Amino acid sequence: MLLIDRITEITADGGKYGKGYIVAEYDINPDLWFFKVHFKDDPVMPGSLGFDALLQLTGFFLVWSGIKGKGRALGCDKLQFRGQVLPTHKKVKYVIDIKRVIQMKLVMIIADGSLFVDDEAIYNVENMRVGVF
Protein backbone atom coordinates (compact mmCIF):
# COMPACT_ATOMS: atom_id res chain seq x y z
CA MET A 1 0.00 0.00 0.00
CA LEU A 2 2.09 2.83 -1.28
CA LEU A 3 0.79 6.11 0.17
CA ILE A 4 3.44 8.28 -1.44
CA ASP A 5 3.06 10.04 -4.79
CA ARG A 6 6.42 11.77 -4.93
CA ILE A 7 9.61 12.42 -3.02
CA THR A 8 10.34 16.13 -3.22
CA GLU A 9 13.60 16.16 -1.24
CA ILE A 10 16.10 13.57 -0.10
CA THR A 11 19.62 14.12 1.14
CA ALA A 12 22.26 12.21 3.11
CA ASP A 13 23.12 15.25 5.21
CA GLY A 14 21.19 18.11 6.73
CA GLY A 15 17.89 17.78 8.50
CA LYS A 16 17.28 18.16 12.20
CA TYR A 17 20.18 15.87 13.19
CA GLY A 18 22.56 16.51 10.28
CA LYS A 19 22.28 12.87 9.12
CA GLY A 20 19.83 13.34 6.23
CA TYR A 21 16.15 13.78 5.62
CA ILE A 22 13.29 12.99 3.24
CA VAL A 23 10.25 15.04 2.29
CA ALA A 24 7.47 13.32 0.34
CA GLU A 25 3.86 14.04 -0.65
CA TYR A 26 0.60 12.18 -1.19
CA ASP A 27 -2.34 13.72 -3.01
CA ILE A 28 -5.69 13.20 -1.30
CA ASN A 29 -8.59 12.18 -3.50
CA PRO A 30 -12.03 11.70 -1.89
CA ASP A 31 -12.42 8.46 -3.88
CA LEU A 32 -9.49 6.72 -2.16
CA TRP A 33 -10.42 3.19 -1.07
CA PHE A 34 -9.97 3.71 2.67
CA PHE A 35 -12.47 6.58 2.84
CA LYS A 36 -15.19 4.16 1.72
CA VAL A 37 -14.55 1.69 4.55
CA HIS A 38 -13.09 3.66 7.47
CA PHE A 39 -15.42 4.67 9.07
CA LYS A 40 -18.93 4.09 7.72
CA ASP A 41 -20.56 7.50 7.20
CA ASP A 42 -17.53 9.18 8.85
CA PRO A 43 -14.64 8.79 6.37
CA VAL A 44 -11.08 9.22 7.63
CA MET A 45 -7.68 7.85 6.57
CA PRO A 46 -6.65 5.23 9.14
CA GLY A 47 -3.84 6.55 11.31
CA SER A 48 -1.96 3.29 10.84
CA LEU A 49 -1.66 4.00 7.11
CA GLY A 50 0.03 7.35 7.71
CA PHE A 51 2.37 5.73 10.23
CA ASP A 52 3.15 2.96 7.73
CA ALA A 53 4.01 5.55 5.06
CA LEU A 54 6.48 7.18 7.48
CA LEU A 55 8.08 3.77 8.12
CA GLN A 56 8.22 3.02 4.37
CA LEU A 57 10.02 6.29 3.71
CA THR A 58 12.47 5.61 6.53
CA GLY A 59 13.30 2.24 4.97
CA PHE A 60 13.47 3.81 1.52
CA PHE A 61 16.27 6.04 2.77
CA LEU A 62 18.39 2.91 3.34
CA VAL A 63 17.68 1.62 -0.18
CA TRP A 64 18.44 5.06 -1.62
CA SER A 65 21.73 4.93 0.34
CA GLY A 66 22.68 1.67 -1.39
CA ILE A 67 21.73 -0.85 1.32
CA LYS A 68 20.25 -4.08 -0.06
CA GLY A 69 17.95 -6.57 1.64
CA LYS A 70 14.43 -6.98 2.93
CA GLY A 71 13.11 -4.19 5.11
CA ARG A 72 11.10 -4.66 8.29
CA ALA A 73 9.49 -2.13 10.58
CA LEU A 74 10.93 -2.61 14.07
CA GLY A 75 8.80 -0.11 15.99
CA CYS A 76 9.04 3.32 17.51
CA ASP A 77 9.28 4.91 20.94
CA LYS A 78 6.47 7.46 20.69
CA LEU A 79 3.61 8.07 18.28
CA GLN A 80 1.21 11.01 18.60
CA PHE A 81 -1.95 11.60 16.57
CA ARG A 82 -3.37 15.12 16.84
CA GLY A 83 -5.66 15.22 13.84
CA GLN A 84 -7.18 13.31 10.95
CA VAL A 85 -6.80 13.11 7.19
CA LEU A 86 -10.24 13.66 5.69
CA PRO A 87 -11.50 13.37 2.09
CA THR A 88 -11.80 17.17 2.00
CA HIS A 89 -8.05 17.63 2.47
CA LYS A 90 -5.78 18.13 -0.53
CA LYS A 91 -2.28 16.91 0.34
CA VAL A 92 -0.33 14.95 2.92
CA LYS A 93 3.34 15.78 3.43
CA TYR A 94 5.76 13.46 5.20
CA VAL A 95 9.01 14.68 6.75
CA ILE A 96 11.62 12.21 8.01
CA ASP A 97 14.72 13.31 9.93
CA ILE A 98 17.39 10.62 10.09
CA LYS A 99 19.00 10.20 13.51
CA ARG A 100 21.29 7.23 13.01
CA VAL A 101 22.15 4.41 10.61
CA ILE A 102 23.68 1.34 12.23
CA GLN A 103 25.53 -1.01 9.87
CA MET A 104 26.47 -4.28 11.50
CA LYS A 105 25.06 -7.76 10.85
CA LEU A 106 21.69 -6.02 11.04
CA VAL A 107 21.38 -2.70 9.27
CA MET A 108 19.00 -0.42 11.15
CA ILE A 109 17.92 3.15 10.70
CA ILE A 110 16.48 5.34 13.45
CA ALA A 111 14.52 8.44 12.52
CA ASP A 112 11.86 10.89 13.65
CA GLY A 113 8.93 11.67 11.39
CA SER A 114 5.98 13.99 11.00
CA LEU A 115 2.87 13.87 8.87
CA PHE A 116 1.31 17.15 7.78
CA VAL A 117 -2.12 17.55 6.21
CA ASP A 118 -2.59 20.75 4.24
CA ASP A 119 0.52 22.11 6.04
CA GLU A 120 -0.67 21.30 9.59
CA ALA A 121 1.38 18.75 11.58
CA ILE A 122 -0.97 16.05 12.87
CA TYR A 123 1.28 13.00 13.52
CA ASN A 124 4.67 12.91 15.19
CA VAL A 125 6.80 9.81 15.62
CA GLU A 126 9.98 9.52 17.65
CA ASN A 127 12.70 6.93 17.12
CA MET A 128 11.15 4.93 14.28
CA ARG A 129 13.27 1.88 13.64
CA VAL A 130 13.48 0.01 10.36
CA GLY A 131 15.85 -2.89 9.78
CA VAL A 132 17.17 -4.46 6.59
CA PHE A 133 17.99 -8.16 6.65
Side-chain angles (χ1 to χ4, degrees):
M1 292 186 295
L2 186 62
L3 297 169
I4 301 155
D5 286 322
R6 67 199 146 271
I7 294 175
T8 59
E9 297 177 62
I10 186 167
T11 181
D13 54 12
K16 192 173 176 182
Y17 305 103
K19 307 276 185 176
Y21 67 95
I22 305 174
V23 178
E25 296 175 338
Y26 183 55
D27 298 321
I28 299 301
N29 175 328
D31 295 326
L32 288 164
W33 68 270
F34 47 78
F35 289 132
K36 294 175 178 68
V37 296
H38 188 270
F39 297 99
K40 184 172 172 35
D41 300 323
D42 185 19
V44 60
M45 179 177 150
S48 58
L49 292 182
F51 177 46
D52 192 67
L54 291 166
L55 288 164
Q56 285 179 25
L57 280 166
T58 301
F60 177 81
F61 186 88
L62 290 176
V63 173
W64 176 81
S65 299
I67 305 295
K68 296 188 185 326
K70 294 182 181 185
R72 295 286 184 269
L74 301 175
C76 70
D77 287 346
K78 187 175 182 180
L79 171 59
Q80 295 176 312
F81 295 105
R82 293 188 306 275
Q84 299 176 326
V85 178
L86 304 173
T88 54
H89 289 125
K90 301 297 178 208
K91 182 173 61 176
V92 168
K93 179 172 79 171
Y94 309 101
V95 177
I96 307 291
D97 286 295
I98 308 306
K99 292 177 104 169
R100 188 170 174 204
V101 176
I102 301 165
Q103 294 189 48
M104 298 170 81
K105 183 175 179 180
L106 163 72
V107 176
M108 183 171 69
I109 187 169
I110 303 169
D112 290 346
S114 296
L115 182 149
F116 297 77
V117 65
D118 294 344
D119 296 321
E120 179 185 350
I122 62 168
Y123 302 4
N124 284 312
V125 186
E126 293 178 12
N127 295 320
M128 287 183 290
R129 293 177 297 280
V130 175
V132 175
F133 303 86

